[in-house]
Amino acid sequence: MNAPCARRAPLAGVRIADFTIHAAGPFCTHLLSQLGAECIKIESRTRPDAFRKPHAVYGRMSAATFDQVSANKLSVRLNLKQPEAIALAKRIVSASDIAAESFRPGVMKRLGLGFDDLRQVKEDLVFLSLSSCGQSGPDSHFAGYAPLFGAWGGLGWMSGYSDGPPVEMRHVMDHSAGIHAALATMAALHQRQCTGDAQHVDLAAREVASAMIGDALVLASLGLTPERPGNADLGMAPHGVYATAQDDRWLTLAVRSDAEWRLLAQVLGLNADDMRFVSTAGRLRHREALDGLLLASFAQCNADDMAARLQAAGVCAHVSWNMEDIAADPHLRARGAVTEVSAPDIPARLAVGAPARFSRTGDVGIRRLTPTLGQDEEYVFGELLGLSTAQRADLEAREVIL
């Protein structure tokens, strides 16, 4: 590898034809774009991404959710009801390495943009389909969104308190599905590099949730009914989130060993030799009494000061941060995990950067803001596909480009 190549982003030179919508699929392609891939998002004025909802956010008329998954991307308009638009979409795919979609199974095929159709124009295409329940199976026709992914996959049932209802999972499910999709897509891209073969990646969001329920599924297979653990842990006590003297300022705590218990007791002035609590088994057995002591102690303290004291003593503790804490955190700023982005007509604002760092390149993360609809047609239709200004004007007049 020559030196200039070594300094490029890991996915520099990879191009994605992005047909994804909503959050899970767009988050996948957003992650790949942060690693250097060129991502061309295909929409239309009559059917824009559902998250392009205009309202004032950060001083601009767009939705925060859309910004969250669409920075770095290029935008073109194609009216996929028109055969000529389908032909142009295929030309974009033919110049790409990856095509990604997140419609219900069968939608892309009906448009003439299914895997078999697209590998006719790109014989080594990596084609990602991200859906609720997958491309096959008795439930494949079901639609869904984030809370349903967690509900179907059992993760919602295992979240919450034993005396309360299951907890609805929201963006964490979309993003978890997107992360899995990005990983699977990169694996398929690597295999293509080795074999030269096309591959269809079929990812079901509900199965991502099922993959995260862990030992609860093992218990169920043995005929046992797992209980929602709340903030408790099967192997650690104390373990949870505790109120402090400050309103809505919570302390998160996890004690992993008897030695850490003694350190915690020393900081709080508790009796470390109380026979109920000297062993992990005892603390688990008397969890309710132990939590009562901790609640009384923490209720008198400043959350940030106590977290600092416990950390200094070697106990795993931290304040449960709100978004203002995240935005102001100097550590995240120093690492570029939270970064400031701006444009001539847009006020500067914070964005979430790429969480990974690469020793041989710094060129990862957000390089440009969310595109306006059709913002990059000069490059995609003009430079990439070679359409003249007159041809593009004609296609717009006939609502192929719409």
Side-chain angles (χ1 to χ4, degrees):
M1 180 181 292
N2 59 40
C5 184
R7 289 194 296 268
R8 298 171 69 198
L11 295 183
V14 172
R15 181 176 291 127
I16 305 168
D18 187 359
F19 298 90
T20 63
I21 57 173
H22 298 147
F27 189 62
C28 164
T29 52
H30 174 65
L31 291 175
L32 298 177
S33 79
Q34 290 207 62
L35 295 175
E38 180 181 89
C39 183
I40 302 172
K41 184 169 181 63
I42 298 165
E43 305 170 79
S44 72
R45 191 172 69 241
T46 55
R47 294 186 67 86
D49 191 299
F51 283 164
R52 263 198 202 270
K53 297 175 181 176
H55 56 77
V57 176
Y58 306 123
R60 62 184 301 204
M61 292 299 287
S62 65
T65 302
F66 189 73
D67 283 345
Q68 185 185 34
V69 296
S70 298
N72 286 352
K73 297 183 181 181
L74 310 180
S75 173
V76 299
R77 298 166 298 148
L78 283 176
N79 179 7
L80 297 179
K81 294 180 179 180
Q82 297 260 25
E84 287 178 276
I86 297 296
L88 287 172
K90 287 182 176 180
R91 289 182 62 186
I92 293 174
V93 171
S94 71
S96 302
D97 302 280
I98 299 164
E101 61 94 5
S102 56
F103 298 107
R104 286 198 204 187
V107 170
M108 290 291 279
K109 186 176 181 179
R110 288 194 295 274
L111 289 170
L113 295 171
F115 177 54
D116 291 334
D117 301 300
L118 294 181
R119 66 178 172 175
Q120 298 302 312
V121 300
K122 180 67 175 178
E123 62 181 13
D124 61 349
L125 179 69
V126 171
F127 186 74
L128 167 70
S129 293
L130 198 168
S131 61
S132 294
C133 301
Q135 302 298 301
S136 61
D139 293 344
S140 60
H141 63 287
F142 285 148
Y145 70 117
L148 297 188
F149 303 157
W152 262 320
L155 194 60
W157 175 263
M158 290 307 301
S159 299
Y161 292 94
S162 58
D163 59 351
V167 172
E168 180 184 280
M169 314 297 287
R170 290 181 181 259
H171 279 326
V172 67
M173 280 313 315
D174 281 323
H175 289 183
S176 296
I179 291 168
H180 278 73
L183 174 63
T185 300
M186 286 193 291
L189 198 62
H190 173 72
Q191 188 174 52
R192 188 196 74 170
Q193 204 169 19
C194 300
T195 66
D197 295 331
Q199 179 139 231
H200 188 182
V201 178
D202 172 10
L203 189 136
R206 69 184 270 189
E207 292 167 18
V208 171
S210 295
M212 297 165 68
I213 60 175
D215 54 2
L217 183 60
V218 177
L219 290 173
S221 70
L222 296 174
L224 304 173
T225 302
E227 289 190 4
R228 286 185 284 281
N231 289 320
D233 184 87
L234 293 176
M236 286 188 278
H239 184 285
V241 180
Y242 300 87
T244 64
Q246 300 149 281
D247 185 43
D248 206 23
R249 197 69 171 164
W250 302 81
L251 186 70
T252 299
L253 176 70
V255 171
R256 301 168 294 180
S257 66
D258 296 341
E260 286 190 8
W261 154 247
R262 301 188 73 83
L263 293 171
L264 172 66
Q266 183 178 358
V267 171
L268 296 181
L270 301 176
N271 179 13
D273 296 318
D274 187 321
M275 293 305 296
R276 295 174 296 172
F277 308 136
V278 293
S279 69
T280 299
R283 292 193 298 278
L284 288 169
R285 190 163 54 251
H286 299 286
R287 189 197 304 270
E288 188 173 336
L290 177 57
D291 278 344
L293 289 175
L294 296 182
L295 285 168
S297 294
F298 291 140
Q300 309 302 316
C301 75
N302 175 282
D304 297 87
D305 291 345
M306 178 55 67
R309 289 177 61 195
L310 291 173
Q311 282 283 346
V315 179
C316 293
H318 203 275
V319 175
S320 183
W321 269 1
N322 57 35
M323 293 308 102
E324 288 78 9
D325 295 316
I326 297 291
D329 182 33
H331 177 81
L332 293 179
R333 294 288 190 99
R335 287 179 54 81
V338 171
T339 184
E340 192 172 272
V341 294
S342 61
D345 58 338
I346 298 172
R349 64 178 181 83
L350 294 179
V352 178
R357 304 290 171 269
F358 297 85
S359 63
R360 297 179 69 92
T361 177
D363 190 22
V364 296
I366 294 176
R367 301 179 299 280
R368 55 174 272 174
L369 290 177
T370 307
T372 57
L373 186 62
Q375 176 179 321
D376 302 286
E377 291 169 1
E378 182 71 36
Y379 163 68
V380 176
F381 293 147
E383 293 184 37
L384 189 60
L385 301 189
L387 297 180
S388 67
T389 302
Q391 287 174 309
R392 286 164 48 201
D394 174 62
L395 291 169
E396 288 196 57
R398 293 187 289 109
E399 298 188 344
V400 175
I401 298 174
L402 177 63

